[in-house]
Amino acid sequence: MACIIGMVSQKGGAGKSTLARLFARERARDGFHVRIADLDTQQTTCAEWAADRAEAEIQAQAFGRLVTALREANRYDVYILDGRPQSSEQTVEIARAADLVVIPTGQTTDDLKPAVKLAHTLTDAGTPPERLAFALVRTTGSAAEREAVRADLGATDYAVLDGFLPVSAAYGIAHDRGKSVTETTHRSLNLKAEALAIVDRLGAVPRRTREAA
Ligand SMILES: Nc1ncnc2c1ncn2[C@@H]1O[C@H](COP(=O)(O)OP(=O)(O)O)[C@@H](O)[C@H]1O
Ligand SMILES: [Mg+2]
């Protein structure tokens, strides 16, 4: 059985494809056979990124329909669904199919409100709350401000992933070079991104060392 991880948000530019590439790279590094099913056929961000990537360990394929993408999931250890924005129906279906659903959010009320609302919508539609997690992306400001946001989100029924992505041009540059946000030229940025992709405590995503793979 593949472990299925869904990246969802109703907004475009929210960080879904960033998280898809991050999780794909980290799980591939762990020795897993990974594919990103790129469901945003308007953008095909991940499919193009994987094609540009020098390392060929991550496969990405664009799919117009989720059911078609899911048919091929069991050929992989980890199957990442990179969702389309503004598609309530597909978002609900991704959440139903996934072992872990990651919702990217910034730290402003404008970002947090729709993220929490989406989580509620998904649980109302049948996804267990423990399968949902928020990821803090495009953060600005102090650690104290970030912790306040974590505390607010912590008061919901959903997890908040460790780590965060501060706004940084280096992340965009990494993407342009076929790299993930853990592969920038700045170690501190890479470590923050790496922490986001550690999801052991959610129990949904298997990890093993390269040696054990
Ligand atoms: N922390 C960050 N700092 C700067 N740019 C970022 C950051 N996170 C993501 N980006 C950039 O933002 C853009 C949109 O992100 P993306 O993940 O493609 O959004 P979505 O898939 O939700 O539409 C991408 O160009 C990406 O490189
Ligand atoms: Mg995208």
Side-chain angles (χ1 to χ4, degrees), residues 11-18 21 38 40 43-46 82-85:
K11 295 189 183 188
K16 295 179 289 299
S17 301
T18 297
R21 290 174 279 186
D38 187 338
D40 187 354
Q43 307 276 341
T44 57
T45 306
C46 289
D82 182 21
R84 183 164 60 220

Side-chain angles (χ1 to χ4, degrees), residues 3 5 23 99-102 128-135 157-162 196-207:
C3 170
I5 308 174
F23 274 72
D99 300 293
L100 170 68
V101 183
V102 183
E130 61 273 18
R131 287 204 202 149
L132 301 185
F134 296 112
D157 291 340
Y158 320 109
V160 188
L161 298 177
D162 292 336
L196 259 184
I198 297 171
V199 286
D200 284 352
R201 69 205 164 87
L202 292 170
V205 182
R207 295 191 87 215

Side-chain angles (χ1 to χ4, degrees), residues 33 35 37 42 106 144 158 168:
H33 187 35
R35 180 196 254 177
Q42 297 281 313
Y158 320 109
S168 168

Side-chain angles (χ1 to χ4, degrees), residues 98-121:
D99 300 293
L100 170 68
V101 183
V102 183
I103 302 175
T105 177
Q107 65 194 92
T108 62
T109 308
D110 280 356
D111 279 345
L112 290 165
K113 266 194 177 165
V116 173
K117 194 173 159 207
L118 175 60
H120 292 334
T121 303

Side-chain angles (χ1 to χ4, degrees), residues 17-93:
S17 301
T18 297
L19 293 170
R21 290 174 279 186
L22 160 67
F23 274 72
R25 194 272 175 174
E26 293 304 291
R27 295 293 86 83
R29 198 183 57 133
D30 291 340
F32 290 108
H33 187 35
V34 178
R35 180 196 254 177
I36 304 173
D38 187 338
L39 296 157
D40 187 354
T41 45
Q42 297 281 313
Q43 307 276 341
T44 57
T45 306
C46 289
E48 287 172 40
W49 172 83
D52 288 345
R53 187 172 164 83
E55 300 82 0
E57 86 286 30
I58 300 165
Q59 297 188 21
Q61 171 78 42
F63 289 96
R65 296 180 65 217
L66 177 63
V67 279
T68 320
L70 289 175
R71 245 175 245 147
E72 298 179 13
N74 276 335
R75 291 199 222 145
Y76 297 85
D77 299 318
V78 178
Y79 209 67
I80 296 172
L81 306 173
D82 182 21
R84 183 164 60 220
Q86 269 123 36
S87 176
S88 312
E89 202 180 319
Q90 187 199 67
T91 301
V92 165
E93 286 174 17

